[in-house]
Amino acid sequence: MRPDMTEIPSLLPNLIGGEEVPAKNGLSFANLNPHNGNEICRVARSEADDVAAAVAAARAAQAEWAATPAVRRGHILHQAMNAIEARAEEIATAVAREAGKRMADSRGEVGGAVQCGRFFAGEGQRLFGRTMPSGTPNKYNMTVRQPCGVAGLIIAANTPAPNFAWKVFPALICGNGVVLKTAEDTPVSSWMMAKIAEEAGLPKGVLNVVHGLGAEAGQALVDHPGVDVLSFTGSTAVGRRIAEACGRQLKKLSLELGGKNPFVVCDDADLDHAVKWACLSAYSNAGQRCAAGSRFLVFESVYEEFRDKLIAATEQQKAGVEDECDLGPVINERQLANMLNAIEGAKSRGAKIVAGGHRLGEAGFYLAPTVIEGAEPADEISQTELFGPVAKLYRVRDFAHALEMANDHPYGLTACIHTRSVDRALAFSHAVQAGATVVNAGTYGSEPHMPFGGPKQSGNGSREPGTEALDVYSELKDIYLNVDPAKL
Ligand code: NAD
């Protein structure tokens, strides 16, 4: 092992107040490599008292962190990014193992996390408020940003390093103490990045990491009265429960939830280009993206040609974690079983599985990339997010029909259109009900300085990251300065 390599402990501890501690109840659960089902380590199975200790540590450290000038907080984040970048290979190796990814993808994700951290480190030199005129003479108005206090962060497992970065770094630059509840399937990389940040100069207790199950540690963090802002990335079903709990407490809340993203193929599209992007959109990261292409709305006149090309390309997809592979496994056995059930259900209601639809191999949690046609738009498989490599094909008559089907759906995260017409591209981009639209590529394409999120059941109106994330993690305060001309 290289001297800078952190060995993954056999029992992954929490990081609370700068100390590595097991769950107080002594319990743990297994972290498995989804590529082969092998155990990587055991993980602290925290409960409410561990979460309470982490919130107390964050609260204790927060006042001094908030009193550190934002510019200086940014310097510390820059140091943390240098340290994370220096150990990117080590973190990427952990991501590749715990999430079952290619090293190329894992490296890219760690690079994305560092970019995000550098962006927010730079925001320490800005953290803009505004100055505004007053209606009263000799009065000067301004707004300043102040930290919320303690930020409770809960993340999903699909892209562990960016998921960590998108929430932790904006929360820190705003001067909050942080308690992160890691995703149960990918806790190792979060623990590593937090430890490295601390070793690079982040004061102890400012960033606390608690592992555990959603219903136990996650729920405890949501319910804790000492958490001033809660930010959650995960499924719409869990997000709805969290919103109810936060609503009762009037707790500030940001929800980044699911998608069932439409991918429109017009009759003037470059079909080979569209098929290439359809595969990337639906299958890369094993379809485990909130922004994955899911509902393929294809003009009737090119439907058969697009379908046949997509089936051929789907059958060429190589499953595995080597760098020449196209897609890896889904995150766990339960997710795989859910998808196989959903596919069987759709089949029993008349849909046709024209590619894939079955498990690949025995050891890992692989689903063959799947193409389904003939499902009704109102069918469960058309309405429910699967979070796996499953493309559903629908025929549409024309542009208006495509737009209607794209919008007639509970989700609104991302959308894309393939067309050579600037009129269609612009009209679609404006009219589709989505937080992000893409022309002639995949349904995704987020960058750390851009806001991400969507309307309808894809969230609750907030946007992260980008400067918009500063609105989640800070409170605005108005300051009115009054000058007395008599005293001049
Ligand atoms: P999930 O909702 O099951 O779990 C997400 C996180 O919430 C995990 O850390 C889990 O432990 C925790 N959790 C579960 N139940 C909880 C509870 N009762 N209280 C508090 N926390 C709880 O989601 P998942 O299957 O892990 O992730 C996939 C989902 O995440 C998909 O719906 C996907 O679209 C969404 N997602 C959204 C974005 C976005 O930016 N909009 C990004 C990535 C993933």
Side-chain angles (χ1 to χ4, degrees):
M1 193 164 47
R2 291 207 326 259
D4 61 346
M5 293 282 276
T6 308
E7 198 174 348
I8 299 175
S10 54
L11 173 60
L12 195 73
N14 293 328
L15 183 64
I16 299 180
E19 303 293 324
E20 296 197 67
V21 288
K24 288 182 197 287
N25 58 20
L27 297 178
S28 64
F29 59 95
N31 180 226
L32 304 183
N33 181 336
H35 168 62
N36 51 25
N38 292 344
E39 185 170 308
I40 298 171
C41 62
R42 295 201 63 84
V43 182
R45 183 171 165 177
S46 312
E47 290 182 309
D49 45 0
D50 304 289
V51 168
V55 173
R59 176 71 62 199
Q62 192 262 335
E64 200 174 327
W65 180 240
T68 305
V71 174
R72 173 76 194 128
R73 293 201 294 265
H75 290 166
I76 294 172
L77 280 197
H78 272 303
Q79 285 165 19
M81 288 319 109
N82 292 343
I84 287 175
E85 197 167 45
R87 292 169 66 179
E89 194 65 10
E90 176 188 350
I91 302 166
T93 304
V95 169
R97 287 180 69 195
E98 65 182 352
K101 285 183 197 262
R102 307 183 306 174
M103 272 306 284
D105 290 338
S106 304
R107 287 186 186 111
E109 289 181 14
V110 175
V114 169
Q115 261 187 45
C116 178
R118 290 206 195 288
F119 172 75
F120 284 108
E123 286 305 294
Q125 290 164 302
R126 290 176 285 268
L127 278 193
F128 293 126
R130 288 189 293 167
T131 57
M132 279 166 282
S134 168
T136 306
N138 300 309
K139 188 176 168 206
Y140 298 87
N141 300 351
M142 70 176 91
T143 62
V144 293
R145 285 187 187 277
Q146 298 198 317
C148 299
V150 172
L153 313 178
I154 300 176
I155 55 176
N158 59 331
T159 49
N163 289 3
F164 173 96
W166 278 28
K167 292 197 187 303
V168 167
F169 299 136
L172 288 177
I173 199 64
C174 288
N176 298 287
V178 169
V179 178
L180 171 76
K181 206 296 274 174
T182 59
E184 46 267 64
D185 290 307
T186 56
V188 179
S189 50
S190 288
W191 166 81
M192 265 183 189
M193 286 193 285
K195 249 174 79 93
I196 294 171
E198 219 170 62
E199 285 161 14
L202 189 68
K204 290 186 191 319
V206 168
L207 171 56
N208 303 277
V209 173
V210 177
H211 311 294
L213 308 184
E216 297 172 357
Q219 191 67 50
L221 189 58
V222 170
D223 290 340
H224 197 294
V227 171
D228 301 289
V229 57
L230 198 288
S231 179
F232 170 79
T233 294
S235 61
T236 295
V238 173
R240 186 174 284 117
R241 284 206 294 279
I242 290 178
E244 286 166 6
C246 288
R248 282 193 294 277
Q249 306 167 72
L250 289 182
K251 186 174 282 181
K252 190 174 184 186
L253 174 66
S254 171
L255 295 174
E256 300 291 339
L257 307 177
K260 189 85 178 175
N261 307 292
F263 183 115
V264 173
V265 183
C266 299
D267 52 2
D268 61 345
D270 174 340
L271 288 192
D272 291 323
H273 183 74
V275 165
K276 181 188 102 180
W277 276 104
C279 290
L280 285 168
S281 219
Y283 308 144
S284 66
N285 209 32
Q288 299 170 113
R289 290 180 199 275
C290 50
S294 172
R295 297 181 294 132
F296 290 81
L297 310 175
V298 186
F299 278 37
E300 257 165 9
S301 55
V302 293
Y303 181 89
E304 270 79 20
E305 193 182 350
F306 178 82
R307 179 198 56 197
D308 293 348
K309 283 177 185 281
L310 180 63
I311 292 171
T314 301
E315 284 165 353
Q316 291 298 311
Q317 297 282 302
K318 190 163 177 230
V321 289
E322 295 75 32
D323 275 349
E324 72 277 11
C325 294
D326 300 294
L327 75 163
V330 298
I331 195 70
N332 57 40
E333 185 105 50
R334 180 174 42 83
Q335 269 286 100
L336 178 61
N338 285 348
M339 273 177 291
L340 289 168
N341 275 339
I343 293 167
E344 279 311 305
K347 209 159 105 183
S348 72
R349 294 185 297 275
K352 221 166 125 191
I353 315 304
V354 290
H358 52 84
R359 184 177 188 157
L360 288 174
E362 287 300 314
F365 312 135
Y366 281 91
L367 179 71
T370 299
V371 182
I372 299 179
E373 70 173 354
E376 290 298 324
D379 189 87
E380 198 182 320
I381 200 134
S382 306
Q383 293 287 314
T384 314
E385 185 187 37
L386 293 178
F387 221 53
V390 184
K392 278 81 55 190
L393 291 173
Y394 307 86
R395 288 171 194 269
V396 294
R397 291 183 300 278
D398 53 20
F399 179 83
H401 190 204
L403 185 60
E404 181 193 322
M405 276 192 65
N407 285 343
D408 185 15
H409 203 275
Y411 288 108
L413 198 56
T414 68
C416 90
I417 186 165
H418 280 253
T419 177
R420 291 184 173 100
S421 154
V422 70
D423 303 298
R424 283 173 169 172
L426 268 177
F428 181 81
S429 300
H430 278 274
V432 74
Q433 294 163 0
T437 67
V438 178
V439 177
N440 291 335
T443 38
Y444 52 82
S446 56
E447 297 183 33
H449 56 286
M450 293 288 283
F452 187 76
K456 304 206 266 189
Q457 294 191 10
S458 294
N460 68 340
S462 61
R463 294 289 185 272
E464 300 179 52
T467 47
E468 287 73 6
L470 305 176
D471 295 334
V472 171
Y473 298 107
S474 62
E475 290 285 345
L476 282 184
K477 179 183 277 179
D478 298 349
I479 299 182
Y480 301 103
L481 290 173
N482 292 285
V483 169
D484 184 349
K487 293 189 178 144
L488 292 178

